[in-house]
Amino acid sequence: MMKAIVYTSNAGSTAEYAQLLSREILLPYYDLDAAKKKLKPGDEIIYFGWILASEIKGYKEAQKRYKVSAVCAVGMGETGSQIDEVRKKNHVPESVPVFTLQGQFDLTKLKGLYKIMMSMMVKTAGKALSEKVDRTPEEDVMLEMMQHGGNH
């Protein structure tokens, strides 16, 4: 029986998505640290984590401790994109559904090393995207988020 939604969030989007699903399906939601105090090892959960370079932050720790029945990964990419790449990079079993969701991007909400890394990414990838002549609509959204922040 599903016990909870567990999440790891950095800029807030993942926490918001976890809270939204919690309200819809009437399951409690906890960040990964709080879950360790509230849930037992082996409890069945839905895991939400944010994406950095296709890695779902916190997933490895969550799957070692709990029975993860579904994974929702939140990143800058369009909702529904990168599923195969995210599944492979994180070794999510084929039997576990993976969903990708587009979140917000706001450099001011990032902390530490992640802020430095994303600042560099915005400079390099943002420049390349801005100079690209035949951008797709998805690339236009990505460029807009990089240049001005945004919540999708």
Side-chain angles (χ1 to χ4, degrees):
M1 182 168 92
M2 193 72 61
K3 294 288 185 179
I5 297 165
V6 177
Y7 70 91
T8 300
S9 190
N10 190 46
S13 294
T14 308
E16 287 179 42
Y17 277 125
Q19 182 180 26
L20 286 169
L21 184 60
S22 170
R23 282 196 301 242
E24 289 297 315
I25 65 173
L26 304 176
L27 273 180
Y29 70 103
Y30 309 107
D31 71 34
L32 188 55
D33 288 334
K36 292 173 188 174
K37 297 172 187 153
K38 301 278 187 177
L39 302 173
K40 296 176 188 157
D43 278 350
E44 188 173 359
I45 65 162
I46 298 170
Y47 184 74
F48 279 72
W50 59 284
I51 300 171
L52 177 65
S54 300
E55 179 187 340
I56 307 166
K57 300 310 258 178
Y59 172 71
K60 285 180 188 175
E61 186 177 352
Q63 65 96 173
K64 284 179 186 174
R65 186 171 182 90
Y66 306 109
K67 180 179 186 234
V68 177
S69 294
V71 175
C72 299
V74 181
M76 287 180 62
E78 184 178 5
T79 294
S81 66
Q82 302 174 290
I83 291 173
D84 291 337
E85 181 182 338
V86 166
R87 178 184 296 282
K88 286 177 192 166
K89 174 107 183 213
N90 296 277
H91 308 288
V92 179
E94 287 295 325
S95 60
V96 175
V98 173
F99 304 91
T100 57
L101 303 165
Q102 189 170 39
Q104 67 179 331
F105 180 72
D106 183 348
L107 275 174
T108 65
K109 289 187 177 184
L110 297 177
K111 301 166 194 95
L113 181 60
Y114 300 124
K115 187 171 190 166
I116 294 167
M117 290 171 57
M118 291 308 288
S119 294
M120 290 177 9
M121 188 273 302
V122 165
K123 287 178 186 167
T124 57
K127 183 175 189 248
L129 267 180
S130 68
E131 293 172 353
K132 187 175 178 185
V133 179
D134 56 344
R135 286 191 307 266
T136 66
E138 293 81 15
E139 290 171 328
D140 285 337
V141 169
M142 183 77 69
L143 180 60
E144 177 70 18
M145 285 177 70
M146 286 182 193
Q147 292 176 333
H148 306 290
N151 191 349
H152 294 271

